[in-house]
């Protein structure tokens, strides 16, 4: 028998878990940690390090360490946001084929799926060692706002790690599954997922084993890393004032400040003041100095308030899209380490008029949901108990319970069913550079929809179907997805030849496009060539 | 498993089925009805429930059918939500369920259903509801590249906008539009009995259908037709 792993492949950290009959068990590192940094390092001595060992390498040789690969996976390096993000990393990024980013470390060039596959392989090997069984399948979670190319690239990473990827599921959905599985709920829950690199807000309707996503909105470049960067900027200014050297042009110094910022951030979630000194800072002239600092929680909250406001605005927009009032929500789930920040929780409580649910573990709940879904899809184990609240259900299942004179035996929880939604508006280009929307955002998946189009010119024998993602009316204002070409069409007058274009978004949230000229009835299933995806 | 496969293949044979038909709903269905129908079908036909027990080809059949059901759900729930937003609910007044029923049922009522005739010869119509999308009628301008497509063909989208259908165009009406979901179950069984040539059983099911939806003129006409035979 082989195991199916549930993997939360995060921007900064990854967590993996397996569903067992008694509950969900986490994959541990050789040192016994549940949380594994999504970091890969190529040390000078050769070989490759992954996880917490690779993370330590950041202090010794920052240019040999690849982190935050998730920010670049499946991205088009020519997109402005992506280019801007390359400034924040210590390793070199070059453009590869299909405009995809390539990490260059020492003499090695690695695509982003390759980098992520090393993290997945590390988790897989640890799981095999821990459980003594082969791991061949996995469910991997992705942010709800991940694009096609990002999803395909994540699938590719799984394949490179020797895993059959049963399903990509959205992180907020996985969190809701872990929260609601086996509880027989009938309610609407909101998932607020502020992770290391991305932010998602989702609304789910839970009815027994059915988890229906009603709406999901997110921002891709908003997460804990950005909060760290704000604080690191503040430390850099102090450094400049205190030591008369601007640390900003020096990657090694900035790296150390950023790592200190992360520790200060975590400290401030528990305490009102963080005070101390950062030592071991190497100045360009070789001198090693210390930087004393004092940051209050109030200072920190002022620095990050624009970012927190952005997340809250997105949440409000998501509720508007769903047509649901904050008061109609039964529970607000906090997912992602950044939801530990008191200011975030306070603002959430203000928006929803209720305290957010902080009983779940924000770092582990996503992997837990992925493990339950992996168990379900592989046809293997459905955990009888997942979270503490489930214990009562299974105890009851052992002994028939008498209700109103009737003897009721509670069955173990049914296999969960996730009904997720399309991550973005999908359209094609028509004449004049305009777009025609095929599929809206937030529609249930899997979904298929066809539209009929006509040719624009007389005797047109070739049709190019440019697919894009985004809501803008003009094609050029949207993000191009790829191109589909129909050739050797019969010669007809303009408008007489009609082309049926069908968009299907599968259960992974990946788009498939096919086109058919309806005159000859000839079906041409042309595969969409996706920009930025590994070819 | 074979049950869900035959369900999927039934819809594969009917590429022009309406949203209401796919969801097995009456025209008068509310947003709650639509959601309940979708959840019921999801629990029956969602590909995730069948992936370990089917061949890839079989699973594709089920996925294709369920993807159409999802689209029907998206279209109908979107329409109902927009309507609710435009006009605050008027709960006392039931929707006109017979509004689009054919005035006189054709003789084909009890025969296996044919896809409804199309108002234009263009093509099988899209299953989408194309409300309010900008018509890209800029024509073959300079910006239109060699392979550009013109705007969507409007004539083919009558399925989801019956209000815009011309008087001469036959309405795409299936029996699902003309009766309650419970009555539809009986009606389908009556159809099956007719196909097997058992008119006694067909009559029985048809009367049961009428018992559960006495308002349906469609059913009463069908009964009259069957009794005449």
């Amino acid at each position: 028998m082989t195991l199916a792993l549930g993997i939360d492949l995060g921007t900064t950290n990854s967590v993996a878990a397996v569903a067992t009959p008694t509950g969900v068990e986490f994959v541990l590192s050789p040192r016994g940690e549940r949380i594994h940094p999504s970091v890969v390092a190529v040390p000078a001595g050769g070989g490759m390090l992954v996880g917490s060992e690779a993370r330590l390498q950041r202090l010794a040789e920052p240019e040999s360490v690849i982190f935050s690969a998730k920010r670049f996976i499946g991205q088009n390096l020519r997109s402005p946001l992506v280019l801007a993000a390359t400034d924040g990393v210590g390793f070199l990024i070059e453009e590869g084929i299909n405009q995809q980013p390539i990490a260059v470390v020492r003499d090695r060039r690695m695509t982003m799926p390759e980098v992520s596959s090393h993290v997945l392989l590390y988790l897989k090997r640890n799981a095999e060692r821990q459980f003594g069984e082969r791991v061949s399948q996995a469910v991997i979670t992705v942010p709800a706002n991940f694009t096609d190319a990002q999803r395909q690239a994540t699938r590719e990473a799984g394949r490179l790690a020797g895993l059959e990827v049963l399903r990509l599921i959205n992180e907020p959905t996985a969190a809701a599954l872990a929260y609601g599985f086996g509880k027989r709920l009938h309610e609407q829950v909101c998932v607020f997922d502020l992770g290391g690199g991305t932010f998602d807000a989702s609304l789910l309707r839970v009815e027994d084993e059915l988890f229906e996503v009603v709406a999901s909105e997110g921002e891709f470049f908003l997460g804990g890393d950005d909060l760290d960067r704000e604080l690191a900027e503040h430390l850099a200014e102090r450094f400049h004032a205190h030591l008369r050297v601007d640390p900003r042009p020096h990657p090694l110094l900035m790296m150390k400040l950023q790592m200190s910022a992360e520790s200060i951030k975590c400290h401030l979630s528990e305490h009102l003041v963080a005070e101390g000194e950062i030592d071991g800072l190497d100045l360009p002239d070789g001198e090693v100095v210390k930087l004393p600092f004092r940051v209050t929680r109030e200072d920190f909250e002022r620095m990050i308030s624009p970012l927190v406001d952005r997340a809250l605005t997105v949440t409000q927009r998501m509720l508007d899209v769903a047509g649901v009032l904050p008061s109609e929500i039964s529970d607000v789930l906090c997912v992602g380490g950044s939801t530990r920040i008191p200011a975030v929780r306070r603002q959430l409580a203000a928006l929803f008029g209720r305290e957010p649910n902080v009983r779940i573990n924000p770092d582990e709940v996503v992997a837990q949901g992925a493990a339950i879904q992996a168990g379900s899809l592989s046809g293997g184990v459905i955990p009888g108990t997942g979270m503490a609240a489930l214990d009562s259900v299974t105890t009851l299942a052992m002994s028939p319970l008498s209700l109103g004179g009737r003897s009721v035996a509670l069955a173990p929880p049914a296999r969960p069913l996730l009904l997720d939604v399309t991550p973005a508006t999908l359209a094609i280009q028509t004449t004049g550079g305009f777009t025609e929307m095929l599929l809206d955002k937030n529609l249930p998946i899997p979904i298929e929809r066809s539209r009929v189009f006509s040719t624009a010119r007389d005797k047109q024998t070739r049709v190019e179907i440019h697919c894009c993602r985004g809501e803008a009316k003009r094609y050029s204002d949207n993000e191009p997805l790829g191109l589909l070409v129909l050739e050797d069409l019969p010669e007809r007058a303009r408008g007489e030849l009609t082309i049926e274009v069908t968009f299907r978004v599968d259960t992974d949230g990946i788009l498939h496009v096919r086109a058919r000229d309806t005159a000859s009835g000839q079906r041409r299933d042309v595969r969409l060539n996706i920009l930025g995806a590994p070819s | 498993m074979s049950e869900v496969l035959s369900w999927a293949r039934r819809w594969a044979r009917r590429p022009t089925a309406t949203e209401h038909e796919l969801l097995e709903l009456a025209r008068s269905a509310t947003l709650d009805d639509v959601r309940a129908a979708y959840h019921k079908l999801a629990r029956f036909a969602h590909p995730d429930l069948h992936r370990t027990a089917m061949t890839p080809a079989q699973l594709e059949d089920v996925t294709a059918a369920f993807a159409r059901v999802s689209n029907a759900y998206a279209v109908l729930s979107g329409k109902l939500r927009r309507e609710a937003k435009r006009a605050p609910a008027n709960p006392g007044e039931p929707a006109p369920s017979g509004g689009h029923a054919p005035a006189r049922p054709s003789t084909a009522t009890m025969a296996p259903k044919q896809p409804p005739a199309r108002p234009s010869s263009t093509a099988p119509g899209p299953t989408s509801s194309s409300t309010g999308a900008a018509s890209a009628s800029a024509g073959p301008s300079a910006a239109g590249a060699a392979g550009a497509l013109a705007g969507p063909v409007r004539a083919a989208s009558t399925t989801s906008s019956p209000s815009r259908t011309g008087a001469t165009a036959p309405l795409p009406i299936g029996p699902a539009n003309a009766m309650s979901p419970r009555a539809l179950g009986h009606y389908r069984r009556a159809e099956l009995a007719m196909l097997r040539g058992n008119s006694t059983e067909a009559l029985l099911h048809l009367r049961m259908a009428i018992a559960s939806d006495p308002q349906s003129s469609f059913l009463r006409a069908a009964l009259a037709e069957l009794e005449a035979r």
Side-chain angles (χ1 to χ4, degrees):
Chain A
M1 203 202 107
T2 63
L3 291 176
L5 217 52
I7 302 172
D8 171 8
L9 182 61
T11 309
T12 42
N13 294 305
S14 294
V15 182
V18 175
T20 71
T22 50
V24 171
E25 277 190 47
F26 289 93
V27 175
L28 305 177
S29 74
R31 294 202 227 159
E33 304 139 320
R34 281 183 176 190
I35 295 174
H36 313 271
S38 310
V39 182
V40 174
V42 186
M48 183 158 313
L49 298 173
V50 185
S52 45
E53 284 181 32
R55 193 172 185 277
L56 285 174
Q57 197 72 15
R58 261 172 90 164
L59 287 173
E61 305 173 276
E63 69 288 343
S64 76
V65 181
I66 308 171
F67 56 95
S68 295
K70 191 178 178 179
R71 289 203 152 183
F72 303 100
I73 197 167
Q75 290 279 21
N76 186 335
L77 194 56
R78 296 191 193 167
S79 121
L81 269 176
V82 177
L83 263 182
T86 58
D87 287 345
V89 299
F91 55 97
L92 187 65
I93 295 183
E94 279 181 7
E95 185 177 315
I97 40 169
N98 221 349
Q99 304 176 12
Q100 66 173 320
I102 305 271
V104 184
V105 176
R106 299 194 192 286
D107 53 348
R108 289 188 73 137
R109 295 167 54 85
M110 279 191 274
T111 64
M112 294 300 155
E114 275 178 76
V115 176
S116 289
S117 78
H118 286 294
V119 177
L120 293 174
L121 195 61
Y122 171 83
L123 296 171
K124 178 185 166 194
R125 291 206 177 123
N126 279 324
E128 285 174 341
R129 185 181 40 76
Q130 186 178 341
F131 298 101
E133 282 179 79
R134 233 171 64 76
V135 173
S136 59
Q137 297 174 314
V139 166
I140 304 177
T141 64
V142 293
N145 56 42
F146 244 28
T147 65
D148 266 77
Q150 289 169 312
R151 284 168 200 264
Q152 300 230 11
T154 305
R155 270 196 157 270
E156 173 70 7
R159 199 188 61 77
L160 290 172
L163 291 166
E164 181 200 342
V165 181
L166 293 171
R167 171 66 42 83
L168 301 177
I169 61 174
N170 291 331
E171 285 155 10
T173 316
L177 175 59
Y179 160 81
F181 175 66
K183 282 194 197 161
R184 295 164 187 271
L185 301 178
H186 289 266
E187 59 184 47
Q188 299 192 99
V189 295
C190 177
V191 182
F192 185 90
D193 180 359
L194 190 58
T198 64
F199 169 69
D200 281 314
S202 296
L203 178 75
L204 285 102
R205 192 177 289 119
V206 186
E207 285 184 11
D208 267 353
E209 84 287 9
L210 201 98
F211 294 78
E212 184 192 8
V213 180
V214 182
S216 192
E217 295 277 331
E219 256 193 57
F220 192 61
F221 289 96
L222 176 57
D225 291 359
D226 301 284
L227 305 181
D228 297 348
R229 198 161 308 123
E230 291 292 327
L231 189 51
E233 274 297 315
H234 168 82
L235 293 175
E237 272 165 35
R238 276 198 62 93
F239 189 100
H240 195 177
H242 196 76
L243 299 159
R244 303 269 167 241
V245 179
D246 188 356
R248 272 163 279 214
H250 307 286
L252 187 57
L253 275 177
M254 281 311 283
M255 181 73 67
K256 282 186 177 159
L257 291 181
Q258 177 120 5
M259 288 179 81
S260 310
E262 193 188 336
S263 324
I264 295 170
K265 174 185 76 177
C266 295
H267 183 86
L268 285 174
S269 290
E270 308 279 317
H271 307 91
L272 289 170
V273 185
E275 206 165 2
E277 48 185 26
I278 306 167
D279 49 16
L281 294 167
D282 305 86
L283 289 183
D285 58 15
E287 196 189 341
V288 180
V289 293
K290 292 176 178 178
L291 175 70
F293 67 88
R294 183 177 193 275
V295 186
T296 67
R297 186 185 281 179
E298 222 175 300
D299 295 334
F300 178 60
E301 287 179 358
R302 205 175 314 115
M303 286 174 228
I304 63 168
S305 80
L307 295 172
V308 178
D309 285 350
R310 243 164 76 197
L312 267 292
T313 311
V314 171
T315 309
Q316 181 66 59
R317 192 171 72 218
M318 185 277 294
L319 291 174
D320 291 345
V321 167
V324 170
L325 297 173
S327 57
E328 294 174 84
I329 308 286
S330 309
D331 216 337
V332 182
L333 312 186
C334 286
V335 181
S338 306
T339 57
R340 288 207 174 87
I341 296 169
V344 172
R345 293 186 172 178
R346 207 170 51 234
Q347 292 227 42
L348 270 178
L351 174 64
F352 287 96
R354 58 158 58 240
E355 286 300 320
N357 185 332
V358 294
R359 291 182 301 280
I360 56 173
N361 185 319
D363 300 316
E364 295 170 356
V365 69
V366 170
Q368 220 164 356
I372 295 170
Q373 179 71 343
S376 167
L377 288 179
S378 64
V381 178
I382 293 288
T385 59
M387 309 186 62
L390 291 179
D391 290 343
S392 55
V393 176
T394 30
T395 329
L396 290 173
M398 307 293 171
S399 57
L401 168 77
S402 187
L403 269 180
R406 265 184 320 133
S407 180
V408 182
L410 289 176
R415 288 188 186 278
L417 187 55
L418 305 186
L419 304 173
D420 224 305
V421 293
T422 49
T425 299
L426 302 164
I428 70 167
Q429 184 183 24
T430 57
T431 42
F434 290 97
T435 59
E436 184 65 34
M437 193 246 286
L438 258 288
L439 284 173
D440 211 339
K441 200 174 170 171
N442 288 322
L443 300 183
I445 56 170
I447 193 167
E448 183 171 299
R449 183 176 284 184
S450 308
R451 294 288 290 276
V452 180
F453 296 86
S454 65
T455 45
R457 293 181 313 135
D458 289 339
K459 296 189 179 173
Q460 186 175 339
T461 58
R462 177 189 156 91
V463 163
E464 289 182 358
I465 300 163
H466 294 266
C467 305
C468 67
R469 169 188 210 269
E471 282 141 39
K473 283 249 153 57
R474 292 205 69 84
Y475 179 80
S476 50
D477 296 340
N478 291 307
E479 183 192 334
L481 281 180
L483 172 66
L484 199 78
V485 181
L486 282 181
E487 281 172 318
D488 304 322
L489 297 168
E491 289 189 2
R492 296 283 162 81
R494 144 161 61 106
E496 267 192 14
L497 189 73
T498 51
I499 308 286
E500 187 186 52
V501 180
T502 304
F503 272 30
R504 156 111 52 107
V505 177
D506 67 17
T507 36
D508 286 329
I510 294 175
L511 172 68
H512 306 263
V513 184
R514 44 176 216 272
R516 187 169 74 106
D517 88 81
T518 53
S520 65
Q522 217 179 342
R523 191 180 210 94
R524 297 155 202 254
D525 285 354
V526 197
R527 206 172 141 249
L528 187 69
N529 178 30
I530 290 179
L531 291 169
S535 54
Chain B
M1 177 197 121
S2 59
E3 206 183 337
V4 70
L5 263 181
S6 57
W7 169 86
R9 284 170 185 164
R10 192 166 78 227
W11 291 120
R13 286 193 298 273
R14 299 189 54 204
T16 55
T18 65
E19 287 92 21
H20 284 93
E21 284 173 338
L22 282 163
L23 287 166
E24 296 169 31
L25 282 171
R27 274 274 166 193
S28 56
T30 63
L31 187 55
D32 283 343
D33 296 340
V34 172
R35 188 179 297 134
Y38 180 62
H39 284 183
K40 196 173 140 222
L41 283 167
R43 286 184 163 108
F44 166 67
H46 193 288
D48 279 2
L49 301 173
H50 306 288
R51 65 179 301 281
T52 51
M54 282 187 183
T55 65
Q58 290 172 329
L59 194 62
E60 165 53 29
D61 287 350
V62 173
T63 308
F66 187 70
R68 284 171 68 199
V69 169
S70 292
N71 183 50
Y73 172 55
V75 170
L76 284 188
S77 58
K79 199 191 277 180
L80 289 168
R81 223 178 283 159
R82 278 192 301 275
E83 276 170 18
K85 221 179 251 180
R86 237 178 285 133
N90 207 351
E93 196 176 301
S97 62
H100 295 296
R104 59 183 166 80
S106 70
T107 49
T109 310
M110 298 299 284
K113 287 173 294 298
Q114 299 291 320
R118 288 273 141 195
S120 91
S121 60
T122 40
T127 49
S128 75
S129 104
S130 49
T131 41
S135 178
S137 55
S141 69
L149 274 180
V153 179
R154 288 292 162 199
S157 47
T158 45
T159 322
S160 45
S161 49
S163 57
R164 279 195 280 141
T165 314
T168 50
L171 283 165
I173 287 290
N177 311 333
M179 66 190 86
S180 70
R182 185 169 289 176
L184 184 64
H186 290 299
Y187 178 82
R188 297 255 188 255
R189 258 166 265 156
E191 268 187 334
L192 277 176
M194 266 316 278
L195 283 174
R196 286 196 302 265
N198 187 343
S199 53
T200 326
E201 200 190 323
L203 266 176
L204 180 73
H205 283 298
L206 202 48
R207 292 214 175 92
M208 285 168 82
I210 292 179
S212 59
D213 188 0
Q215 304 296 317
S216 168
S217 56
F218 181 95
L219 284 176
R220 269 179 280 128
L223 181 67
E225 192 180 313
L226 191 58
E227 278 172 344
R229 275 196 227 169

